[in-house]
Amino acid sequence: AQSVTQLGSHVSVSEGALVLLRCNYSSSVPPYLFWYVQYPNQGLQLLLKYTSAATLVKGINGFEAEFKKSETSFHLTKPSAHMSDAAEYFCAVSSSNYKLTFGKGTLLTVNP
Amino acid sequence: KAGVTQTPRYLIKTRGQQVTLSCSPISGHRSVSWYQQTPGQGLQFLFEYFSETQRNKGNFPGRFSGRQFSNSRSEMNVSTLELGDSALYLCASSKSGRPNYEQYFGPGTRLTVT
């Protein structure tokens, strides 16, 4: 079975500061990993995905994530937070049985 | 290209009633998945369809059912509604549903059961 753990249900940063959202996964096979963002009253928007082509993955809106097999991690980062980044972020792992397994989510607050 | 659309966006139903939610995938996408999102349980997988066939089903009671039509549009039905069914129901489409293909989500249907 596959699972995702997101450390920290709530992360608060100042505008312009580094954003680091943590994700650890468990998978019995090489994983496909995704980060999604959800703004209030909206669906999920894909930020980036890892499919084994490169360990450092760049996504939209200046976000990137690094796949570290030895640490079973796929942390999401952004060098400089913007007020518009305030949202909930979900890490997910894809399985061979046609479903995404999500973490519990991390709510990002950006303070002016 | 138009995104995933879901109708209706909001629903209020009474316990014991049934409800049908609709999802239109991105053009050319043949896989449609449904997820339930609640504050307590987070995002949970309901089922996935491809070419009108259900390939996987999550751990939900039989009151939850779905189907997919030949044009890839999908519906999900919840019968005998319970208060705990109040949630945001999200539909996602993918070209194939294979693990390395990303899923694109619709805006969701907010179901409130009173």
Side-chain angles (χ1 to χ4, degrees):
Chain A
Q2 297 175 302
S3 65
V4 172
T5 302
Q6 291 185 240
L7 297 175
S9 59
H10 189 191
V11 170
S12 183
V13 301
S14 298
E15 193 172 18
L18 171 72
V19 175
L20 171 60
L21 305 181
R22 301 177 187 274
C23 172
N24 288 88
Y25 68 91
S26 172
S27 175
S28 57
V29 296
Y32 297 105
L33 296 159
F34 303 83
W35 275 100
Y36 284 88
V37 61
Q38 186 177 36
Y39 298 99
N41 300 314
Q42 294 188 27
L44 276 68
Q45 180 183 4
L46 179 69
L47 279 175
L48 49 81
K49 70 173 184 178
Y50 167 77
T51 58
S52 77
T55 57
L56 183 62
V57 181
K58 295 190 183 298
I60 62 171
N61 302 338
F63 285 94
E64 63 181 36
E66 185 172 9
F67 173 73
K68 292 187 177 180
K69 184 178 179 180
S70 61
E71 298 177 9
T72 60
S73 69
F74 189 55
H75 301 331
L76 182 71
T77 60
K78 182 173 180 178
S80 177
H82 192 272
M83 296 294 289
S84 61
D85 295 326
E88 190 156 22
Y89 292 79
F90 293 92
C91 182
V93 61
S94 182
S95 66
S96 58
N97 56 356
Y98 314 112
K99 73 174 189 178
L100 285 171
T101 300
F102 287 90
K104 292 292 188 184
T106 297
L107 182 64
L108 175 66
T109 302
V110 182
N111 303 305
Chain B
K1 196 184 254 190
V4 178
T5 58
Q6 292 187 244
T7 56
R9 290 294 310 278
Y10 302 92
L11 265 179
I12 300 176
K13 290 287 188 179
T14 304
R15 270 182 303 175
Q17 288 186 316
Q18 76 164 13
V19 67
T20 299
L21 312 181
S22 181
C23 171
S24 292
I26 292 171
S27 177
H29 286 193
R30 297 171 64 189
S31 167
V32 174
S33 300
W34 289 89
Y35 295 83
Q36 181 196 63
Q37 185 178 25
T38 59
Q41 299 299 317
L43 283 152
Q44 294 187 286
F45 171 78
L46 281 157
F47 25 66
E48 189 264 358
Y49 288 88
F50 181 85
S51 292
E52 303 178 67
T53 299
Q54 185 183 90
R55 295 193 294 189
N56 193 10
K57 188 178 191 301
N59 188 25
F60 279 82
R63 300 185 296 107
F64 290 81
S65 64
R67 59 178 176 169
Q68 186 181 35
F69 302 95
S70 58
N71 61 358
S72 294
R73 192 177 69 83
S74 177
E75 289 181 347
M76 68 163 281
N77 183 276
V78 187
S79 63
T80 321
L81 284 166
E82 300 177 0
L83 294 179
D85 298 332
S86 294
L88 181 66
Y89 290 89
L90 293 164
C91 166
S93 77
S94 170
K95 282 187 178 179
S96 74
R98 289 207 297 265
N100 57 325
Y101 279 81
E102 54 269 38
Q103 295 188 20
Y104 294 91
F105 285 78
T109 294
R110 173 75 63 185
L111 172 65
T112 301
V113 182
T114 62

